[in-house]
Amino acid sequence: MSGRVPIESQRVDAPLTSSATFLVLSVTDAPDAVKTVRSTLADIDGLAKNVAIRDLGASFACTVGIGSDVWDKVTGLPKPSELHPFPVVKGAKHTAVSTPGDLLFHIRSERRDLNFEFEKQLLDLLGDSVKVVDETVGFRYFDVRDLLGFVDGTANPVGPAVPASILVAEEDAAAVGGSYIVIQKYVHDMKGWKTLKAEQQEAIIGRTKLDNVELDDAPAGHQASHKTLNTIEDENGVEHDILRDNMPFGSPGSGQFGTYFIGYSRRLWVIEKMLQRMYIGEPAGMHDRILDYSTPLTGTTFFAPAASILAGLDLD
């Protein structure tokens, strides 16, 4: 990645930025809707370059995700082995809802106007072939904190661990170079959260609030923190990471304060296991206490194919 050229299309490891737009669309039944979607996705790299070249220092990037329900007709390719609709996760107290969405555009840069311009041009091209399901504009909050006041994203992989954690490899030949994406739009009960002492908040999160120091895990069988419940190991004790690019969103005037969760992973089961542990609990019945103050409004799964796959969609 060079400052002389735009960021490549579908770079799921593009830098964290100060602004992002999360655009979820459904494909309509309009005549030639699928054809229009295919041609637009095939030229997404050109559209991104058209916007990114205006300020190369703004780190503009766009990642496209395609949902399970439209994968076959939009791509005509074998479906990634783990791709399926977001499953409802129902715990004793809280539920992770499943909501519609055929296409995801994760648009981000250091400039809100670049994101705006790209989205405008994108929707002009797509026309009546799509319908907007959800549009959320996120922003960086101080030193990458969420609106609950804690640093967000500390557990992200770094260095060589990034592609190893987020890009599908030889285990699924048809999906090599792509990444699973899970999104959830959470709104926070700030009034309730503020009634807690800092020490109580820290116990829920698993880190200190001021300096982001990781706290020790609770003993087995006791209430686990958000940090602990989101630490995933396989049957061999190997820990698996995901890449989070979460963003705060909201409007003080309308009383809305939220976090847009977006997780990229080489293995979809890793994120789904996180959700099971959060909502059902580990052990069962001890759900993630952050859910007592954070309610999901959406839940959708996508797959971001390699750039070469998108570029080939308009060949037939």
Side-chain angles (χ1 to χ4, degrees):
M1 196 155 45
S2 167
R4 297 181 59 191
V5 295
I7 295 171
E8 304 96 311
S9 176
Q10 294 298 88
R11 279 290 297 268
V12 297
D13 61 343
L16 294 172
T17 56
S18 60
S19 179
T21 299
F22 305 94
L23 181 65
V24 178
L25 308 175
S26 61
V27 179
T28 69
D29 295 326
D32 294 329
V34 172
K35 182 179 179 180
T36 300
V37 168
R38 286 172 62 94
S39 63
T40 302
L41 295 186
D43 193 38
I44 202 71
D45 185 52
L47 181 60
K49 287 178 180 177
N50 183 46
V51 173
I53 197 68
R54 306 183 193 192
D55 183 355
L56 291 175
S59 298
F60 178 88
C62 176
T63 302
V64 180
I66 302 173
S68 175
D69 289 346
V70 298
W71 178 271
D72 293 342
K73 64 182 179 182
V74 168
T75 72
L77 299 170
K79 187 177 292 185
S81 60
E82 290 190 75
L83 183 60
H84 54 250
F86 183 99
V88 174
V89 183
K90 187 172 181 60
K93 188 173 181 181
H94 303 288
T95 299
V97 297
S98 177
T99 53
D102 293 330
L103 302 171
L104 167 70
F105 294 87
H106 180 194
I107 308 162
R108 65 266 205 208
S109 76
E110 295 295 339
R111 291 178 51 173
R112 169 71 183 116
D113 58 339
L114 293 184
N115 298 348
F116 176 92
E117 178 64 17
F118 177 86
E119 183 184 1
K120 179 174 72 71
Q121 293 189 25
L122 173 68
L123 291 176
D124 283 346
L125 288 173
L126 289 169
D128 65 358
S129 68
V130 298
K131 179 181 178 182
V132 175
V133 176
D134 185 67
E135 176 195 41
T136 301
V137 175
F139 55 89
R140 179 186 294 154
Y141 191 56
F142 298 114
D143 48 338
V144 294
R145 292 181 183 265
D146 57 30
L147 297 185
L148 300 178
F150 286 79
V151 174
D152 195 4
T154 305
N156 277 346
V158 297
V162 176
S165 299
I166 64 175
L167 298 180
V168 175
E170 68 282 349
E171 67 272 8
D172 187 357
V176 168
S179 185
Y180 294 95
I181 311 173
V182 173
I183 59 169
Q184 288 182 292
K185 181 177 180 178
Y186 285 91
V187 289
H188 303 308
D189 172 14
M190 296 302 295
K191 185 176 181 180
W193 183 251
K194 288 178 181 179
T195 64
L196 302 178
K197 295 179 180 179
E199 293 79 7
Q200 293 173 301
Q201 295 179 355
E202 291 173 344
I204 290 172
I205 301 297
R207 293 184 177 275
T208 58
K209 191 170 186 178
L210 179 62
D211 48 13
N212 193 39
V213 175
E214 185 174 314
L215 302 178
D216 292 337
D217 293 339
H222 290 69
Q223 176 63 54
S225 68
H226 178 70
K227 178 262 298 182
T228 299
L229 291 170
N230 279 268
T231 301
I232 303 301
E233 296 181 349
D234 61 24
E235 63 274 9
N236 298 315
V238 177
E239 188 173 320
H240 294 275
D241 294 325
I242 69 169
L243 182 70
R244 300 165 179 82
D245 204 350
N246 303 348
M247 278 276 186
F249 70 90
S251 167
S254 61
Q256 185 183 62
F257 303 88
T259 296
Y260 202 100
F261 166 80
I262 179 166
Y264 290 90
S265 182
R266 174 178 177 175
R267 305 167 180 88
L268 181 57
W269 70 261
V270 174
I271 300 181
E272 292 184 342
K273 188 172 181 180
M274 287 181 180
L275 295 173
Q276 289 284 330
R277 286 164 60 89
M278 286 177 63
Y279 284 83
I280 296 174
E282 184 65 36
M286 292 190 177
H287 66 268
D288 191 336
R289 297 303 173 185
I290 200 173
L291 297 175
D292 294 340
Y293 307 93
S294 305
T295 302
L297 303 181
T298 68
T300 320
T301 298
F302 303 91
F303 187 80
S308 59
I309 298 297
L310 289 185
L313 292 182
D314 204 26
L315 294 180
D316 55 2

